[in-house]
Amino acid sequence: MARLKLATLWLGGCSGCHMSFLDMDDWLIELAGQVDLVYSPLADVKEYPENVDVALVEGAIANDDNLHLIRVVRQRTRTLVSFGDCAVTGNVTALRNPLGLAREVLDRSYLDPGNYRPQLPCEPGIVPVLLDRVQPVHAVVPVDFYLPGCPPPAARIRKVLEALIAGRTPMLDQSDLKFG
Amino acid sequence: MPVKTLTINGQLVSAREGETILEAARDAGIRIPTLCYLPGLSAHGGCRLCLVEISGSSRLQPACVTKVVEGMEVQTHTERLNAYRRMIVELLFAEGNHVCGVCVANGNCELQDLAAEVGMDHDRFEYLHPNRGLDASHDRFGIDHNRCVLCTRCVRVCDEVEGAHTWDVAGRGANSRVITDLNQPWGESATCTSCGKCFLACPTGAIFRQGSTVAETVRDRSKLEFLVRAREERQWHV
């Protein structure tokens, strides 16, 4: 049987979900024996490859880079997993939404508190442009499975990965469905 | 006292006359999810999570305010009820700003627990992300309206147990919110006794202790139960 092609992504999030991924400790060695990690912040790969089996997507859709990447990922991935609360609900990344649209958020962050020549960051092609609203992943592309938690505990991540590697649909019971 | 017999999920249950379906179910060890209900306070019937099906009636009834009737056949967890409960919880999450990961009540929140209980792995509704404001003018407590689900437990506990009636509800529909006195800052309230019963009653992190941060909320509900038992049953010792 061909090895499962696994990708992990870091969109609008704090990387805490990836830290929790690393918390799977010695099971990571076993995991490395069963999958090919084809794209990840933990691997030096520039282009998202074709025919990925499973993608864990950390973070919400917050800027135009996130939006572009998640659409590519959806096209090239069989099973897309919303990985952690920011991907599932918007969570901390979406805390800016009540402040208003992108311009109001930037003003509030860069101009209001600035006291020496405050300016907005603007480097087209380098600094991604903020979207007006932060959205959970499933609001932008269809999601196959939700893995909540801020961050999801390592044991919960392992449970989901073990099921996906075995070709089963992961099942999370009540104790593993907790947000936060 | 006359006894009524009924069935809940096919299980024969006996209840005292005048008891509600919710009380009869709890006595029989059958859990019906609730949010606005708190033992010792008048039932409000507002959150609709305790809706049950009663044979012979096409309408769903809230178990917390529906009295038992002889021969009643009640179902508490049909497919339809489970679907509605999940929708209710999803709507509550979409309507406010419930960010469990950075909330004072993380790990000690009835809304968070309900989401898990009804199997909510994501929210199918669009988040409104309202900007509802926060009142931190009180010395000991604060209220973050973004986390309020309008269960009115604070209103009822303040009125019915403390007798101060500092809290009430203002506004209509999605603009409703709990207020102190005549919509004055809580810290300037002339009626608030700073007893903290509203904090003990709050199911979420909306009413919090000043100075507490993420996941630090500890609520000792037994204090409320003690007061209610003392008053209603004249039992002062636990």
Side-chain angles (χ1 to χ4, degrees):
Chain A
M1 199 176 86
R3 284 152 64 95
L4 185 126
K5 288 185 184 170
L6 175 71
T8 75
L9 287 101
W10 178 12
L11 305 183
C14 71
S15 94
C17 299
H18 274 84
M19 298 292 170
S20 199
F21 183 92
L22 295 178
D23 276 344
M24 292 194 292
D25 296 338
D26 54 343
W27 191 72
L28 288 171
I29 296 167
E30 207 173 306
L31 178 68
Q34 297 180 59
V35 304
D36 286 327
L37 189 65
V38 292
Y39 186 90
S40 170
L42 312 167
D44 187 14
V45 181
K46 306 295 181 212
E47 266 297 299
Y48 192 82
E50 302 275 353
N51 300 318
V52 176
D53 293 311
V54 175
L56 301 184
V57 180
E58 170 186 348
I61 310 301
N63 62 36
D64 58 353
D65 263 15
N66 301 154
L67 190 59
H68 172 74
L69 184 54
I70 196 66
R71 286 180 175 149
V72 171
V73 168
R74 180 65 278 186
Q75 266 181 4
R76 300 180 182 176
T77 311
R78 192 162 47 84
T79 304
L80 195 157
V81 180
S82 265
F83 176 34
D85 280 358
C86 289
V88 179
T89 75
N91 199 35
V92 174
T93 313
L95 278 174
R96 72 161 156 102
N97 285 353
L99 297 178
L101 304 180
R103 180 60 206 247
E104 289 157 293
V105 171
L106 287 168
D107 284 0
R108 173 78 176 265
S109 311
Y110 287 93
L111 301 186
D112 296 355
N115 46 21
Y116 176 69
R117 288 173 48 202
Q119 55 180 322
L120 296 180
C122 179
E123 294 293 340
I126 298 174
V127 179
V129 178
L130 284 195
L131 300 176
D132 272 332
R133 293 273 167 196
V134 175
Q135 289 189 296
V137 174
H138 67 267
V140 178
V141 295
V143 165
D144 300 301
F145 191 77
Y146 299 88
L147 174 48
C150 182
R156 196 181 295 171
I157 304 172
R158 177 174 166 176
K159 220 178 272 184
V160 169
L161 282 176
E162 280 178 333
L164 290 171
I165 290 169
R168 287 182 280 117
T169 305
M171 291 289 288
L172 292 181
D173 60 18
Q174 199 172 321
S175 63
D176 272 326
L177 267 187
K178 213 158 192 129
F179 296 111
Chain B
M1 193 179 289
V3 170
K4 305 279 179 193
T5 47
L6 61 154
T7 65
I8 303 180
N9 303 338
Q11 180 185 335
L12 209 55
V13 168
S14 55
R16 291 185 299 277
E17 188 175 18
E19 255 192 335
T20 63
I21 296 172
L22 181 65
E23 288 164 336
R26 293 212 165 166
D27 289 347
I30 299 166
R31 176 169 162 80
I32 301 175
T34 55
L35 181 61
C36 67
Y37 178 81
L38 189 65
L41 305 185
S42 61
H44 172 53
C47 73
R48 314 312 275 178
L49 277 163
C50 71
L51 286 178
V52 292
E53 287 181 14
I54 299 170
S55 296
S57 163
S58 60
R59 296 172 67 181
L60 304 176
Q61 303 288 349
C64 67
V65 291
T66 306
K67 300 270 193 283
V68 295
V69 172
E70 180 66 36
M72 199 179 227
E73 291 171 22
V74 180
Q75 288 291 333
T76 65
H77 283 81
T78 62
E79 213 168 286
R80 175 165 69 145
L81 290 170
N82 292 342
Y84 285 171
R85 284 194 187 117
R86 179 169 165 175
M87 276 167 72
I88 291 168
V89 177
E90 285 181 38
L91 285 165
L92 287 171
F93 270 86
E95 188 184 29
N97 294 313
H98 301 283
V99 188
C100 302
V102 292
C103 179
V104 280
N106 187 8
N108 201 343
C109 172
E110 290 178 46
L111 186 64
Q112 188 183 29
D113 292 344
L114 273 170
E117 182 176 351
V118 301
M120 175 183 157
D121 61 357
H122 74 291
D123 202 320
R124 291 165 293 180
F125 299 100
E126 192 179 333
Y127 289 96
L128 295 184
H129 291 296
N131 194 349
R132 293 195 192 141
L134 177 149
D135 181 351
S137 60
H138 193 282
D139 284 346
R140 295 174 55 198
F141 306 103
I143 174 154
D144 184 346
H145 295 284
N146 296 294
R147 301 181 190 136
C148 176
V149 290
L150 292 167
C151 67
T152 72
R153 282 187 191 179
C154 55
V155 177
R156 284 173 286 148
V157 78
C158 187
D159 177 43
E160 297 167 14
V161 181
E162 178 63 4
H165 202 132
T166 300
W167 290 102
D168 217 317
V169 181
R172 291 281 180 277
N175 294 320
S176 303
R177 60 196 199 99
V178 288
I179 54 167
T180 39
D181 284 355
L182 297 171
N183 200 13
Q184 292 150 291
W186 190 0
E188 293 167 24
S189 165
T191 58
C192 176
T193 62
S194 302
C195 71
K197 291 187 182 69
C198 52
F199 164 72
L200 290 180
C202 182
T204 70
I207 298 181
F208 55 91
R209 253 186 219 290
Q210 291 276 12
S212 53
T213 178
V214 176
E216 286 188 348
T217 295
V218 182
R219 268 185 282 257
D220 186 3
R221 290 259 164 75
S222 67
K223 287 179 183 165
L224 279 184
E225 286 159 22
F226 173 81
L227 286 174
V228 171
R229 196 183 310 114
R231 199 166 66 169
E232 290 179 355
E233 297 168 28
R234 305 267 159 205
Q235 288 176 17
W236 295 93
H237 303 289
V238 185

